[in-house]
Amino acid sequence: MFRGYSTAHCSLELPDYHPFPKYKYAGVAQTLQGAMEVLEAPAIAWETLALVHEQAYLEKLGQEGLSRQESHRVGLPWTRSLLTRALHAAGGTLAATRDALRWGLGMNLAGGTHHAYRDRAEGYCLFNDVAVAIAALRAEGWGGRVLVADLDAHQGNGTAVIFQDDPSVFTLSVHAERNYPLKKEQSDLDVGLPDATGDAEYLAALEPALEQAFASLPELVFFNAGVDVLAGDRFGRLGLSLEGLAERDRRVFERVRRAGVPLVIVMGGGYNRDPGTTVAAHAQTYRLALERLAGSL
């Protein structure tokens, strides 16, 4: 049975009115019980984070934490629980990456924190979990080509900058053009979509983007499977239906299957005004991965 790593065991202290959807991590884990083995995501080691993040930044987080101004940029109040949860989310992505290299499919039921830069936190993201996982593989001697397919509704700005000068990593970001971050970075391929883009238009833009991305001949794929592309999302600005989202995922999984390469799925964003829709949409992605890929691995 394939496994997914969850941060549901990590508490996160937030005001009741805060829009961050901490409910979804436990909700998705509970929904997927039985479809996969759900394990507690382990905490990542500080020395592994240091393969990507600057030492001064890590020391600041470990000692005094974020200032009020820095917390405002992140969008989350600074607490030790925020740090602990981020350590486990990044650890879940690394564990899922090792699963992918061993079994062909790895799943983190958290992660996708693509706004984090080497030296700072932004947009709900303390650590760039995908970049850290790739760096950990490199440190162990794995030198294959990587595709980061980021289909969250927000551009993966931190990821774009981290890999800007690394020809072994192809970064794809398909996002709402007028969405956060207002200042976009340069990925290898950026596809910015207008507000309220629906299923047909989204899929028409996705197809050539995937074609170009997979032409880089990746030997490992990371899929940021944010569901904030759905209509009704607080922050997404796009207009996909649940079926449109499912078709997005099927197309990614079909490309992965045809390429015959390992896949790591990270959760990404999802902030629907209906909490049940957020949970159902994320769970749908993981179920489709098992349905489409498990039999071919």
Side-chain angles (χ1 to χ4, degrees), residues 130 134 137-138 142-148 163 167-171 216-222:
V130 169
I134 294 170
L137 294 186
R138 299 292 193 232
W142 189 87
R145 294 181 301 276
V146 179
L147 166 61
V148 181
F163 292 115
S168 71
V169 179
F170 189 100
T171 53
S216 68
L217 301 179
E219 296 163 87
L220 174 64
V221 176
F222 287 85

Side-chain angles (χ1 to χ4, degrees), residues 136-282:
L137 294 186
R138 299 292 193 232
E140 295 164 5
W142 189 87
R145 294 181 301 276
V146 179
L147 166 61
V148 181
D150 191 335
L151 304 188
D152 188 276
H154 304 87
Q155 193 212 33
N157 54 337
T159 306
V161 168
I162 289 170
F163 292 115
Q164 224 155 40
D165 299 317
D166 186 344
S168 71
V169 179
F170 189 100
T171 53
L172 164 66
S173 182
V174 181
H175 52 264
E177 182 62 30
R178 295 179 63 240
N179 212 335
Y180 176 93
L182 294 180
K183 177 186 178 295
K184 304 294 190 290
E185 304 288 359
Q186 185 175 347
S187 311
D188 288 300
L189 177 58
D190 286 298
V191 180
L193 301 171
D195 284 6
T197 294
D199 295 350
E201 297 83 3
Y202 183 96
L203 296 169
L206 177 64
E207 197 59 33
L210 291 176
E211 184 75 25
Q212 184 175 338
F214 276 88
S216 68
L217 301 179
E219 296 163 87
L220 174 64
V221 176
F222 287 85
F223 176 27
N224 186 327
V227 304
D228 45 6
V229 296
L230 288 174
D233 194 271
R234 290 171 183 259
F235 306 128
R237 303 184 76 103
L238 298 178
L240 271 67
S241 67
L242 272 171
E243 181 50 44
L245 178 72
E247 184 59 27
R248 178 201 75 172
D249 295 345
R250 290 186 197 105
R251 294 191 185 193
V252 173
F253 300 148
E254 177 59 21
R255 291 278 179 173
V256 168
R257 190 192 64 77
R258 282 161 44 191
V261 297
L263 173 68
V264 184
I265 304 175
V266 293
M267 181 178 274
Y271 317 93
N272 207 279
R273 291 181 177 84
D274 173 17
T277 296
T278 299
V279 171
H282 280 303

